[in-house]
Amino acid sequence: MIADGGSTKTEWILIEEQQVVMRFLTKGFNPNYTDWETITAIIDTEFPSDCPDDVEKINYYGSGCGNEKNCQLVSSALQRRFPAAEIHVSHDLMAAAHGLLGHEKGIACILGTGANSCLYDGENIVNQAISLGYLVGDEGSGTHIGKTILRDFFYGFMPADLRQDFESYYQLTHKDFIDKLYHFPQPNLYLADFCKFAGEHQNHPYIRKICSDSFNEFIRVFIERYDNFNDLSVSFVGSVAFHFKPILKACFDEKGLHLGKIIQSPADGLIDYYL
């Protein structure tokens, strides 16, 4: 079984005798923000009833799995469901590298709910950016764009035509926003949800500038940090990169960078990698 685990959703792929025999989605989770009980509840309630228990090996790639403690948390939750399985837990950057680049050298990036990047030599990650998470970092991500839109809305900086659409779409009060941000689980997903508004209005000059500024920050933090970045192809996985491709490409063209693949999910690339 291969698992591509994001904060929003996880795709599970079961392979038997070099053939994909089952693919399904569950809610995602990030062990930085999600406890063991919630993870096990997702596995218990959202796996299809015909998913076999005798899985022999699981390669799980997940958001927040960049340290041993979080890897163990996810591994123990999976071991409970699949007691006989050999389980390997790795972070989502490795999924991006394997799914995007296979055995080719380049820079692999994640640009979805969160953001990150790594330098990949065709076999191993040899350098990677420092991720500060949605509260401080995640430049270019859905949470980063969502926070900017929310600030402008409440501060009164959003153009009147968009403000009317925003109010009609979300019917959001300041009290409701504060309650959901500070008292509901997974606030990163709540913030990233407002990026959908940007996606539906990305041709508006105001939205285009917000996204361009955010992507340029991503480039500064997550790409220009690597030696010889101008000579390397830069590929992306994630919903934000996928749905905002024209704006992202314009930012790359302006800086003379080499834009490689942009895919929404690394799952198909991971299947190719393992098969």
Side-chain angles (χ1 to χ4, degrees):
M1 181 178 281
I2 306 166
D4 169 35
S7 295
T8 306
K9 65 180 182 298
T10 299
E11 182 165 9
W12 307 83
I13 302 155
L14 189 62
I15 296 173
E16 185 176 355
E17 296 181 352
Q18 296 297 101
Q19 296 289 329
V20 175
V21 296
M22 182 179 289
R23 292 179 75 159
F24 58 92
L25 295 174
T26 67
K27 290 178 185 173
F29 51 82
N30 184 322
N32 284 320
Y33 323 120
T34 314
D35 58 27
W36 188 85
E37 287 76 15
T38 302
I39 295 172
T40 56
I42 291 171
I43 294 171
D44 286 345
T45 61
E46 298 197 22
F47 272 48
S49 58
D50 57 344
C51 180
D53 294 328
D54 58 346
V55 173
E56 295 175 354
K57 187 174 182 179
I58 300 174
N59 289 294
Y60 178 94
Y61 301 86
S63 298
C65 294
N67 61 66
E68 186 60 30
K69 179 182 177 182
N70 286 356
C71 288
Q72 276 298 116
L73 181 74
V74 174
S75 180
S76 67
L78 290 169
Q79 201 81 69
R80 177 178 173 272
R81 175 69 169 77
F82 302 101
E86 175 188 338
I87 298 173
H88 299 274
V89 178
S90 184
H91 49 79
D92 48 1
L93 270 178
M94 188 60 84
H98 286 170
L100 286 166
L101 302 174
H103 297 286
E104 300 293 325
K105 181 180 180 180
I107 298 173
C109 303
I110 295 171
L111 198 56
T113 302
N116 212 334
S117 75
C118 67
L119 181 63
Y120 182 67
D121 68 0
E123 295 297 331
N124 301 295
I125 293 174
V126 294
N127 196 355
Q128 69 181 71
I130 295 173
S131 176
L132 297 178
Y134 76 96
L135 286 175
V136 179
D138 276 353
E139 291 82 359
S141 70
T143 55
H144 194 254
I145 293 170
K147 283 191 291 186
T148 304
I149 289 172
L150 282 163
R151 281 199 301 264
D152 280 7
F153 173 73
F154 284 115
Y155 290 160
F157 299 148
M158 184 179 286
D161 57 334
L162 283 180
R163 183 178 184 85
Q164 185 175 1
D165 287 349
F166 189 92
E167 288 175 336
S168 175
Y169 191 88
Y170 289 104
Q171 300 183 353
L172 185 66
T173 67
H174 179 257
K175 181 182 182 302
D176 288 341
F177 167 66
I178 295 298
D179 284 346
K180 289 180 180 178
L181 183 64
Y182 291 102
H183 302 294
F184 279 58
Q186 296 186 286
N188 58 322
L189 301 187
Y190 176 64
L191 292 170
D193 186 64
F194 294 94
C195 189
K196 294 178 183 176
F197 182 82
E200 294 170 2
H201 298 82
Q202 61 181 286
N203 291 325
H204 194 288
Y206 161 82
I207 295 293
R208 195 170 185 86
K209 185 177 186 308
I210 283 180
C211 295
S212 294
D213 289 348
S214 191
F215 295 154
N216 282 327
E217 273 293 283
F218 177 92
I219 291 170
R220 184 173 72 90
V221 173
F222 291 104
I223 296 174
E224 293 178 350
R225 68 185 313 278
Y226 301 117
D227 293 337
N228 303 318
F229 66 89
N230 279 307
D231 301 325
L232 296 169
S233 177
V234 184
S235 295
F236 285 85
V237 62
S239 56
V240 172
F242 184 80
H243 290 295
F244 292 87
K245 180 179 178 178
I247 302 177
L248 183 61
K249 185 178 185 304
C251 292
F252 267 65
D253 290 345
E254 185 179 331
K255 293 179 179 292
L257 298 174
H258 304 290
L259 184 61
K261 293 180 183 177
I262 297 180
I263 59 176
Q264 190 167 6
S265 164
D268 289 334
L270 288 173
I271 292 170
D272 292 340
Y273 181 82
Y274 282 99
L275 293 184

